[in-house]
Amino acid sequence: MTFLPPLSRRGVIAGAAAGLSFPASALAAPSASKLVPYGATPSARQLAWHRMEQNAFVHLTINTFTDREWGYGDEDPAIFNPKRFDADQIVGAAKAAELRGVIITAKHHDGFCLWPSAYTEHSLKNSPYKDGKGDIVGELSAACRRHGLKFGIYLSPWDRNHADYGRPEYITFFRNQLRELLTNYGPIYEVFFDGANGGDGYYGGARETRKIDAVPYYNWPSIIDYVHELQPMACTFDPVGADLRWVGNEEGEAGDPCWATMDDQGFTPEKGNSGVRGGAVWWPAEADVSTRYGWFWHAYEDGQSRSPANLMKIYFETVGRSAGLLLNLAPDTRGLVTDEDVGNLTTFGAALRRMYAINLAGGARPVASSARPGHPAANVLDGDPASFWASCDGAAVPTLTLDLGGARTFDVVRLAEHLPLGLRVDRFAIDVQRAGAWVEVVSKEGIGSQRVIRLDAPVTTHGVRMRIVAARAVPAITDFGLYLAPVLLEPPHIVRDRDGMVTLTSDAPGQEIAFTIDGSAPTLASPRYTAPFPLPDGGVVQAIGIHRATSALSTVGRQSFDIRKSDWKIVRASAPGAERLIDELNRTDWIAPLTGADGRPCSVTIDLGRSVDVRGFVLKPGWHAPQGAGDPAAWTVRVGDDPALAGPPQERGEFSNIAANQAPQRLAFARPHRGRYIEIAFTRTAKGEQRLAIAEIGILTR
């Protein structure tokens, strides 16, 4: 998700609209018993968003039918026809995963609209879907109302189709489309504005590159005001940071800690990931991550959907760190979420419900070292987010002990602060009773909207204690819960080396691995993995983990391989070290200048060892790029049996969204090209860097 550095936010958004408050020292002196907020606090719409915790993104557009991540804008609406589109099935999949809202990509960068916009012909009204009478946005909005989920809108500011993009006239068009979406589909809880803006496009037939200075071009403050005028409770994810910020990656990982506050010095992905303790602005993080590598459905990703165990990990690393989770579902060309994805989402949701079904702190006797009148320790157990325990003035580092009344076994601790009073706690620790003594089991910075911590292993104890280790103001804690997480098995890891030998491994001890290479799904009866095996010419390996003690099964892991690289050689490269591109070691990067010593673009030529039909290639972005080295943004390819590879490129294209999404980039050609040699050249970088970092290159022959 490309994100732009925002303007200085002073003077951009009014304090009341943004939900700002001020340090207690700047306010009138309160009564001795009344707590005043510390620092920035959330607005009403931000507080409502926090309480949703996790929501669904739905990426569906013409890209679903072109096998792309970013459309160019010249696609024919006639190819968009999800004949079996079922809004209830999609919303039902989100609900099964305990997701509480749905945001639809109403218009992505290609400009194709999933509603019959009156302001463009590039929409489904000119598609065969429901004979041009359909409205995907409207159908999903209605399904959300039926299922009790909230509804949100993604509207790309960048439009590679529109002839006026980059000119003042486009802003009028953009606001008109925004008005359609915010006035015709009921209450909207979030409007998501992507940060990708400007570049190559169709632009009504101009087929050129258009660059803009995004913040002044759109006049973002006025756009945000317009959203809040039409939908006062809609949070905006936007470049000036009115309500929500990007978490800085698309991997589903918030910082530890992840503060909901930021400073006024501009956005960076690093700051977005962690927030800024004591920052003057309430600007919480939203973590957008897909159930698959890409945002849109691709057939080659079937079998690689995130497992329930991985989704649970993401839950603890986003929601559990006070960020909002935005989990993407990618309907296929039928207009349905695949059975594989639905199954994983359903299992994940069921695991969450099982985990939270019993609060093992329920019935405990809470005792606090200090409790403010009207805010007793018992408030942390009443399930009411409006009530809270608070200590007395001068007792900023109190303790709260739960006498469990007997032995309880748990491995999850959940805490929450009363957000209308701000972020008050800097650090806390959790202790358990063992042999008559208190033993610390975890210590963390920050609580925020909620802290859900999974311990390394279950603990059994009669008593649990929370210690506030450091705080800016006396704590206001609204929840203290103990839970036991269900066991979810990760599917095995499937890797192949340069010689074509496949290795299967499991993260969990006590597991067997069953696998297949014949296309069938592995079962308990499938062959057991005992040692690496050869797969020199490629194929599909599927594997499951089997827990020996219980015979519980993981979900299926799937990996598709093409021809092995043992015979490959680097013929020439614009910089030394290009052998790292074909070593099948994903953490070794080739670092190369964007322009070679001869003045030509960065390139590498590979001898494949024999002539094959090259149908595309796969590029894995750099594992850990050094400062000043970035990802490639555009490429050209030559294929042939003469190593000189003279003549113009047969293929060219772009790496969509590569700077934000570090998943492997799979580039399929429109037709195969026969040859022993392939040259891949890189003509620009994603963020204007003068050096490239690339981990691996593979070839598609299937």
Side-chain angles (χ1 to χ4, degrees):
M1 195 66 58
T2 305
F3 204 87
L4 297 172
L7 290 169
S8 171
R9 301 175 73 244
R10 294 188 181 93
V12 173
I13 303 166
L20 305 185
S21 63
F22 302 91
S25 60
L27 301 174
S31 66
S33 62
K34 184 176 177 59
L35 284 171
V36 297
Y38 171 81
T41 58
S43 66
R45 60 177 170 264
Q46 287 173 319
L47 185 59
W49 174 86
H50 274 294
R51 290 174 176 167
M52 293 179 73
E53 298 180 359
Q54 53 181 15
N55 305 298
F57 227 167
V58 175
H59 272 65
L60 172 69
T61 189
I62 209 157
N63 295 347
T64 307
F65 294 84
T66 60
D67 202 25
R68 293 180 181 175
E69 283 291 291
W70 287 5
Y72 190 71
D74 59 356
E75 297 81 12
D76 186 346
I79 67 176
F80 183 81
N81 192 15
K83 295 179 180 179
R84 294 175 57 190
F85 177 78
D86 185 341
D88 288 297
Q89 190 259 3
I90 295 169
V91 174
K95 188 172 184 178
E98 291 294 307
L99 307 178
R100 293 162 183 161
V102 173
I103 297 175
I104 178 63
T105 52
K107 183 184 79 170
H108 206 254
H109 311 323
D110 50 78
F112 184 78
C113 299
L114 295 186
W115 80 102
S117 176
Y119 299 97
T120 182
E121 296 303 306
H122 199 53
S123 81
L124 45 60
K125 69 185 179 185
N126 289 315
S127 79
Y129 176 66
K130 293 190 174 181
D131 297 322
K133 306 299 182 183
D135 185 346
I136 297 289
V137 174
E139 291 176 58
L140 272 171
S141 174
C144 283
R145 288 194 294 273
R146 286 192 294 272
H147 291 273
L149 274 67
K150 294 186 178 182
F151 185 62
I153 294 293
Y154 167 109
L155 181 66
S156 171
W158 186 22
D159 190 322
R160 302 174 95 175
N161 171 267
H162 202 277
D164 287 331
Y165 182 78
R167 302 166 182 156
E169 293 82 359
Y170 176 76
I171 302 305
T172 300
F173 165 79
F174 182 63
R175 291 174 69 100
N176 284 336
Q177 288 202 318
L178 188 57
R179 185 180 67 251
E180 287 182 316
L181 292 169
L182 298 185
T183 58
N184 291 331
Y185 298 104
I188 303 296
Y189 84 92
E190 180 174 340
V191 180
F192 193 110
F193 294 118
D194 204 325
N197 289 288
D200 298 342
Y202 173 69
Y203 303 130
R207 296 187 180 277
E208 61 189 20
T209 300
R210 296 184 182 176
K211 296 183 179 180
I212 61 166
D213 188 354
V215 175
Y217 173 63
Y218 296 109
N219 189 1
W220 273 117
S222 73
I223 296 290
I224 303 313
D225 287 345
Y226 192 47
V227 170
H228 293 155
E229 175 188 336
L230 298 176
Q231 293 278 349
M233 289 302 289
C235 284
T236 55
F237 181 105
D238 64 88
V240 296
D243 294 308
L244 309 175
R245 75 176 192 260
W246 185 38
V247 79
N249 62 65
E250 295 180 356
E251 304 303 317
E253 184 176 356
D256 187 3
C258 184
W259 303 104
T261 51
M262 290 279 277
D263 60 21
D264 195 28
Q265 305 304 313
F267 180 91
T268 66
E270 294 74 23
K271 282 168 57 176
N273 193 242
S274 64
V276 175
R277 178 61 174 131
V281 180
W282 193 273
W283 193 14
E286 183 165 62
D288 53 324
V289 60
S290 186
T291 52
R292 294 167 169 240
Y293 285 127
W295 290 98
F296 292 95
W297 175 82
H298 306 284
Y300 61 84
E301 291 180 354
D302 287 347
Q304 299 182 45
S305 175
R306 291 187 186 273
S307 69
N310 185 254
L311 293 174
M312 184 65 83
K313 177 177 181 288
I314 287 172
Y315 173 84
F316 281 111
E317 293 179 354
T318 54
V319 177
R321 296 175 180 173
S322 295
L325 172 59
L326 188 57
L327 183 63
N328 183 60
L329 318 184
D332 60 19
T333 52
R334 301 172 301 168
L336 302 173
V337 180
T338 66
D339 290 345
E340 174 195 358
D341 292 359
V342 170
N344 288 341
L345 292 165
T346 301
T347 301
F348 163 63
L352 277 180
R353 289 189 291 275
R354 282 177 57 196
M355 184 171 77
Y356 287 126
I358 300 175
N359 183 355
L360 296 163
R365 185 172 68 90
V367 177
S369 64
S370 174
R372 202 177 199 87
H375 300 287
N379 284 358
V380 301
L381 300 177
D382 65 6
D384 181 1
S387 73
F388 55 92
W389 160 64
S391 56
C392 296
D393 291 341
V397 287
T399 62
L400 192 155
T401 302
L402 299 179
D403 179 352
L404 301 178
R408 303 284 177 89
T409 301
F410 64 92
D411 62 358
V412 174
V413 179
R414 182 168 68 177
L415 305 171
E417 288 187 270
H418 186 63
L419 292 189
L421 291 174
L423 302 178
R424 307 169 78 83
V425 175
D426 283 297
R427 178 174 281 278
F428 67 92
I430 300 296
D431 306 326
V432 299
Q433 280 184 330
R434 286 179 183 164
W438 288 108
V439 178
E440 181 179 294
V441 292
V442 69
S443 176
K444 292 286 186 181
E445 287 186 70
I447 296 177
S449 62
Q450 69 172 331
R451 259 291 192 169
V452 189
I453 307 152
R454 188 166 191 173
L455 305 179
D456 293 337
V459 297
T460 301
T461 184
H462 289 74
V464 182
R465 182 175 69 179
M466 172 176 55
R467 283 183 291 118
I468 304 301
V469 177
R472 305 285 178 100
V474 297
I477 307 298
T478 188
D479 185 42
F480 185 5
L482 306 174
Y483 305 90
L484 185 64
V487 175
L488 295 173
L489 302 181
E490 280 277 18
H493 300 289
I494 307 170
V495 298
R496 192 183 66 163
D497 67 16
R498 182 176 162 82
D499 294 320
M501 297 297 292
V502 176
T503 301
L504 310 181
T505 58
S506 172
D507 288 334
Q511 280 197 47
E512 293 182 327
I513 298 175
F515 73 99
T516 61
I517 58 173
D518 62 1
S520 64
T523 67
L524 281 168
S526 298
R528 296 299 194 266
Y529 173 79
T530 58
F533 57 89
L535 200 69
D537 296 321
V540 176
V541 180
Q542 300 185 81
I544 54 172
I546 305 168
H547 194 267
R548 289 191 181 96
T550 63
S551 293
L553 305 180
S554 75
T555 51
V556 177
R558 182 179 184 272
Q559 194 64 254
S560 179
F561 297 103
D562 215 292
I563 57 175
R564 65 181 178 183
K565 299 180 180 178
S566 57
D567 297 328
W568 293 15
K569 297 177 182 177
I570 301 297
V571 175
R572 57 182 173 271
S574 58
E579 291 77 12
R580 295 172 180 171
L581 296 173
I582 59 173
D583 60 7
E584 291 286 23
L585 300 173
N586 295 333
R587 300 189 181 189
T588 59
D589 293 350
W590 182 48
I591 311 297
L594 179 61
T595 303
D598 58 1
R600 300 175 62 187
C602 173
S603 68
V604 60
T605 302
I606 303 171
D607 177 358
L608 304 176
R610 57 190 172 93
S611 190
V612 297
D613 286 330
V614 180
R615 300 177 183 274
F617 71 98
V618 178
L619 179 139
K620 295 180 181 178
W623 168 254
H624 188 66
Q627 188 171 5
D631 301 301
W635 56 269
T636 63
V637 161
R638 294 179 174 88
V639 177
D641 285 316
D642 182 347
L645 293 174
Q650 293 118 317
E651 299 281 348
R652 64 180 67 245
E654 66 182 7
F655 297 102
S656 302
N657 199 34
I658 190 171
N661 188 343
Q662 296 292 289
Q665 297 270 326
R666 185 181 187 276
L667 293 310
F669 302 154
R671 62 180 182 85
H673 303 282
R674 187 80 179 174
R676 174 172 173 168
Y677 302 94
I678 179 170
E679 178 201 74
I680 306 175
F682 308 100
T683 56
R684 57 185 170 87
T685 54
K687 295 183 178 180
E689 299 93 342
Q690 293 304 305
R691 291 191 297 164
L692 290 169
I694 305 170
E696 196 75 17
I697 286 177
I699 301 300
L700 303 175
T701 67
R702 297 172 178 271

